[in-house]
Amino acid sequence: MSTPGTWQKSSYSGGGDGNACVEIANSPNRIAIRDSKAPARATLTFPAGAFTTFVDALKSHSAPGRR
């Protein structure tokens, strides 16, 4: 995957500059994730299908008290 052109912040990033959030960029076959506080550092990339499975698993295992 080449360097993603458009990064989007998480909708859970909070106010201000989004001090505690991740950013995501996608292409037809890959998903990239980075820390918004350190965008020049490492970027994680996943095949699109694997990332979808990961997010679905997170949603199905919500934290206690968050329903």
Side-chain angles (χ1 to χ4, degrees):
M1 177 176 174
S2 61
T3 303
T6 304
W7 290 93
Q8 297 177 330
K9 285 190 178 186
S10 166
S11 60
Y12 291 95
S13 62
D17 292 331
N19 295 334
C21 92
V22 296
E23 295 175 320
I24 188 169
N26 61 28
S27 72
N29 299 319
R30 307 285 296 175
I31 303 293
I33 302 171
R34 69 181 183 185
D35 183 346
S36 65
K37 296 181 300 295
R41 290 194 173 181
T43 299
L44 301 174
T45 61
F46 301 90
F51 185 72
T52 300
T53 301
F54 173 69
V55 171
D56 289 344
L58 290 175
K59 289 178 181 179
S60 70
H61 292 92
S62 63
R66 298 184 84 196
R67 294 197 182 249

